Amino acid sequence: MPEHTFRVNGEQVTVTVDSDVRLLWVLRDILGVTGPKYGCGINVCKACTSHLNGRAFNPCAVPVRDLGPDDEITTIEGLAATAGADLHPMQQAWLDHDVVQCGYCQSGQIMAAVDLVRRVAAEGREITDADLDGIRNICRCGTYARIREAIRAAAASGG
């Protein structure tokens, strides 16, 4: 079996696995990184949303062969470290706005929200309703109003 080397939450890892195995299974089953959740496996629900080189992506849709040694995966477990704090501002906003209900989608929601806030800030503008509508992560509990409030609050705080 081939070896694949890349970075996860700041640490270089090498896994020996078939090249067509989806990254979600590598993260969860081989590396024990369980923050990205399995929801659909077909890039629809977005419960597995993580960051690849600083941008949101869905590891359920990416075969491990697509990664190289310079690629950096950040999952919810490594998000706070990107802010140099115990919690990333988006995680704190999630707590402050009591977003979580069942919690299953939350890691993917937070990772998608962080990507959105970064992109909008880089464009030098504020988050719009259209931006928030563009987040396609599914929340089975329907906490979308609180999710939107938390994203706006985190963006306002620089997160």
Side-chain angles (χ1 to χ4, degrees), residues 5 13-15 29 36 39 42 67 70 72 89 98-99 112-114 117 119 127 130 132 142 156:
T5 300
V13 298
T14 299
V15 296
D29 295 345
I42 57 172
L67 298 177
D70 294 330
E72 173 76 35
D98 198 26
V99 171
V114 168
V117 169
R119 283 186 290 118
I127 290 178
L132 294 171

Side-chain angles (χ1 to χ4, degrees), residues 13-159:
V13 298
T14 299
V15 296
T16 303
V17 63
D18 287 334
S19 295
D20 62 346
V21 172
R22 300 298 169 159
L23 182 58
L24 180 61
W25 304 123
V26 172
L27 291 170
R28 292 183 59 81
D29 295 345
I30 296 171
L31 298 174
V33 179
T34 58
K37 303 300 183 206
Y38 172 72
C40 68
I42 57 172
N43 199 21
V44 173
C45 76
K46 314 292 187 198
C48 65
T49 303
S50 300
H51 292 171
L52 173 60
N53 301 324
R55 296 296 312 266
F57 86 115
N58 297 99
C60 72
V62 177
V64 69
R65 73 171 160 262
D66 289 356
L67 298 177
D70 294 330
D71 286 321
E72 173 76 35
I73 308 302
T74 304
T75 67
I76 193 74
E77 291 91 342
L79 183 62
T82 68
D86 290 336
L87 290 175
H88 185 279
M90 191 65 70
Q91 291 170 305
Q92 186 60 55
W94 238 247
L95 294 173
D96 294 345
H97 290 269
D98 198 26
V99 171
V100 178
Q101 200 158 347
C102 84
Y104 196 81
C105 71
Q106 298 311 295
S107 60
Q109 294 277 3
I110 289 170
M111 298 303 284
V114 168
D115 180 56
L116 172 64
V117 169
R118 286 179 182 162
R119 283 186 290 118
V120 167
E123 294 170 9
R125 60 184 184 82
E126 292 188 16
I127 290 178
T128 66
D129 285 337
D131 293 322
L132 294 171
D133 291 344
I135 294 179
R136 306 311 307 164
N137 296 58
I138 295 171
C139 173
R140 292 180 238 180
C141 299
T143 65
Y144 295 110
R146 293 194 308 255
I147 289 169
R148 293 168 81 94
E149 290 170 8
I151 293 170
R152 288 184 188 279
S157 74

